[in-house]
Amino acid sequence: MRLLKLVALTFTVGMMAVVGSAQAPQGTSGQTPAPATAGSQGTVVKSEPVQGDSLEMDQASTQKPTYSMQVKSQIVVLDVVVTDRDGKAVDHLTKDDFTVYEDKVPQKIEQFEAASETAKAAVPVAIHSTAELDKLAPQAPVSIIVLDEVTTRFEDEAFARYSLKQYLKTQGDMLSQPTMLMAVNLDKIQVLEDYTTSKAAILDALDHHFAGYNWRAAGGSWKAEQFSAAFASLMAVAQATAGHPGHKNMVWVGRGFPSVSWETLPADDQEKAQALIQNCVELLRNARVTLYAVDPAGVSVTPPAEDVDGFLEDDPFGGQVDFDSMATETGGHAFHGRNDVDALIGTSVHDGQTFYTIAYRPGAVTDATKAFRNITVKVRYPGLKAVTREGYYVQPPPADPGFDPTGKPTQQLAEDVGLAAQSLLVYDGVPLTVERDKALPNMVHVQMKASSLPWADGSNGLRSSDLVLAVESFDRKGKVLVKSVKKLTVALPQTVTATGMETGNVALAVTIATAPPAARVRFVVRSTGSGKVGAENAFLIDKKLLSDASTGREPLKMPSNSRKRR
């Protein structure tokens, strides 16, 4: 396997041949757009323009990717699903019914929330976007349904879509929880419908998404690309949803990535693959993402190994990496070899809404040198089974600083920005609000809360935060017109609340050509201090008219008076 290519995630990084200055978009009749620039404004932001340095990012960085988010507390939070002998979720248990073990050592439960309380809190208001979700229902559990077009055969894709429709037919007009519909292939991460509680919106997106024949799903020559695409998608969803504190239930309908056995890899590649897997798992864990894998045409799977006392034996990734292990390690499940895929989707969604939240502070362990700590949750009643993530890595790698000692962007920075820039997926790690200026059509105001950024004290008495701002404009077909990446430093006075939180907003004024053929502008902000990412779009035309492959949807027909030859 071409593991070096796998680790580099080149299918997303390849687009990051970033230019330092804006280029004239083609088809603008000789108009040269102003370069993308940024200034700051707002109630608590230093009034003069921020300093921005153009960057060039490539794949030549010597820094290893880490894909890690810092753990800010020693508290371990578990989302636990309890089922009976028939596989039905049980929601009436109390704190005293549970015992949590870390490496077979009982742990004291610090916090507990019953599944019934979680279900009551999940009663949704009408949601139609990530911004509405974060504003109106920030704690609500959500579902993310992913149609896997990476390794799934074309005929199985059709059955998966049919099964999803059959499941949706059993739901009311207003879904029980906000749901996002995505599709993933070797080239794109496609958001077919952002978070919504509308069943009609999900069905409409499904009807207007036509997957092509995936000839690369067969044979072994594309395994490295398949592995990279699936892993990049998992990490993108984890990083994109990190700003929403509620539980995320990812229902992956398809086969996932090909299995990899450690013994078939060179020693150096084993180390890199281990780091990639560890960081992906940490991203999913910190974002509270539980993965359910539903294979529309698979074979039975061997459950994780347990000892005679019912404890998991070791690191689930100690010998072989497969998609089923990713699911069980996050506390989810892998379903294979069944025809009732619609029922399996329903079970996955329901389990993702009916869960107990248990938190504990790790105490003594049997072996302090272990890199991976196993977690087992047991219920005192016979016949009930508790399922949660299998454990955690004790020492996750530190957050990547974004720049090496010479000031050159690291590979992770390029990958983070590239991954966020290549899709329409909204990232709320740093929530962004974008709005076009009413008087100046080529100016877009990008705004973020000061509390979403880390701040450091400067020698001038002001607090500052370092950012990387990437701006790309696209035409209706998804062709890049202008691309700019800048390093920014924003500053604000030491204005804090009684709790020490910064107040107010940071606003960047970005100038970029918005005249035709420009149809969409993508903004990506990455915090250098935290590694968190925000990404949002400014649509210059109705997004349903886009024929951009990133949408994953067939475009609506344009009005006859607006059609132009291009």
Side-chain angles (χ1 to χ4, degrees), residues 53 55 57 401-403 409 413 417 465-470 484-489 508 524-528 532 534:
D53 297 325
L55 302 176
M57 295 187 191
F403 299 90
L413 174 59
V417 175
S465 188
D466 293 332
L467 308 173
V468 171
L469 171 67
S484 176
V485 178
K486 291 183 178 295
K487 179 181 178 181
L488 307 175
T489 298
L508 306 176
V524 178
V525 171
R526 184 188 190 272
S527 167
T528 302
K532 292 185 177 181

Side-chain angles (χ1 to χ4, degrees), residues 90-106:
V90 177
D91 64 0
H92 60 270
L93 302 177
T94 67
K95 175 182 176 181
D96 295 335
D97 297 325
F98 292 88
T99 305
V100 178
Y101 297 86
E102 184 173 300
D103 283 350
K104 302 183 181 181
V105 178

Side-chain angles (χ1 to χ4, degrees), residues 166-205:
Q166 292 300 109
Y167 159 72
L168 289 170
K169 287 180 180 179
T170 66
Q171 305 303 299
D173 292 339
M174 188 172 185
L175 300 176
S176 60
Q177 56 184 289
T179 301
M180 180 190 297
L181 180 62
M182 301 176 60
V184 176
N185 57 43
L186 281 181
D187 306 305
K188 293 286 185 180
I189 302 172
Q190 301 170 324
V191 181
L192 308 184
E193 185 65 35
D194 197 4
Y195 285 122
T196 183
T197 51
S198 168
K199 178 176 74 173
I202 297 291
L203 285 170
D204 179 71

Side-chain angles (χ1 to χ4, degrees), residues 447-459:
Q447 188 166 274
M448 64 206 82
K449 292 182 179 179
S451 58
S452 67
L453 300 172
W455 299 92
D457 293 329
S459 58

Side-chain angles (χ1 to χ4, degrees), residues 485-543:
V485 178
K486 291 183 178 295
K487 179 181 178 181
L488 307 175
T489 298
V490 294
L492 79 167
Q494 294 196 23
T495 303
V496 297
T497 65
T499 59
M501 293 294 292
E502 284 75 10
T503 60
N505 297 316
V506 174
L508 306 176
V510 180
T511 301
I512 188 168
T514 58
R520 171 174 69 92
V521 183
R522 177 76 165 172
F523 299 89
V524 178
V525 171
R526 184 188 190 272
S527 167
T528 302
S530 67
K532 292 185 177 181
V533 178
E536 184 56 283
N537 299 284
F539 293 99
L540 308 178
I541 65 173
D542 185 342
K543 66 179 180 180

